[in-house]
Amino acid sequence: MIMAASCSPAVMEKTPASASQEDDRPETADPFDPGLRDGTALFALYLSESDSERGWTWLCAAALKGHPVAQSTMATRYRYGQAPVDQHAVRAYLWYSQALANGLAAADALRSDLVKGMTPDALRDARKRAKTWKPGGCQHFGG
């Protein structure tokens, strides 16, 4: 699953063997379509368009489908306030927690490092929310 992180847009171009298959990336594709069940594929699409609003949509869809690297990437975007989101330590904590719960061991160290810069109130809030929080949307807060 983590191998998807090394894909580049050139790697994801159609090859002659796949040319007859329908492309999952038409401009009208809905990343939240229940037919697109593979978080790894959605994460690969994010990597191909990571600098765009559409890339954010692919990333969020992969994270919501349980892809731990996508979840960790969401956390990092919130941690540092990378477009299109504003900095939000509590949301970063929640996404790192999801990535850890889904098997990404590195998320534990990332979350621990994040905690060092959080206020006691923010950490208390994050830990309280993490007990019951389930990802449910892909809103962003800023530009």
Side-chain angles (χ1 to χ4, degrees):
M1 189 172 340
I2 295 174
M3 290 175 56
S6 66
C7 289
S8 68
V11 172
M12 293 185 301
E13 291 177 10
K14 285 185 177 180
T15 61
S18 65
S20 64
Q21 297 174 354
E22 186 175 320
D23 187 356
D24 285 341
R25 281 180 36 172
E27 289 302 314
T28 58
D30 178 4
F32 303 101
D33 181 333
L36 293 174
R37 301 189 197 290
D38 185 12
T40 301
L42 292 169
F43 188 66
L45 291 169
Y46 154 71
L47 291 173
S48 74
E49 302 183 39
S50 62
D51 292 334
S52 69
E53 181 73 21
R54 187 166 163 82
W56 167 260
T57 304
W58 289 121
L59 173 63
C60 191
L64 289 173
K65 290 184 184 286
H67 190 281
V69 176
Q71 292 170 333
S72 180
T73 303
M74 291 280 287
T76 299
R77 286 209 168 188
Y78 279 114
R79 180 178 182 175
Y80 296 108
Q82 296 170 339
V85 297
D86 290 335
Q87 192 171 22
H88 199 292
V90 172
R91 290 183 193 276
Y93 184 94
L94 296 173
W95 279 111
Y96 281 136
S97 296
Q98 286 294 308
L100 182 60
N102 283 315
L104 185 65
D108 189 35
L110 293 167
R111 187 179 65 181
S112 293
D113 190 53
L114 169 72
V115 165
K116 292 175 189 175
M118 292 176 75
T119 66
D121 286 341
L123 180 57
R124 192 171 21 263
D125 182 37
R127 287 181 172 155
K128 180 181 175 185
R129 289 183 189 202
K131 290 179 183 177
T132 59
W133 184 74
K134 300 286 184 220
C138 293
Q139 63 276 107
H140 55 77
F141 307 90

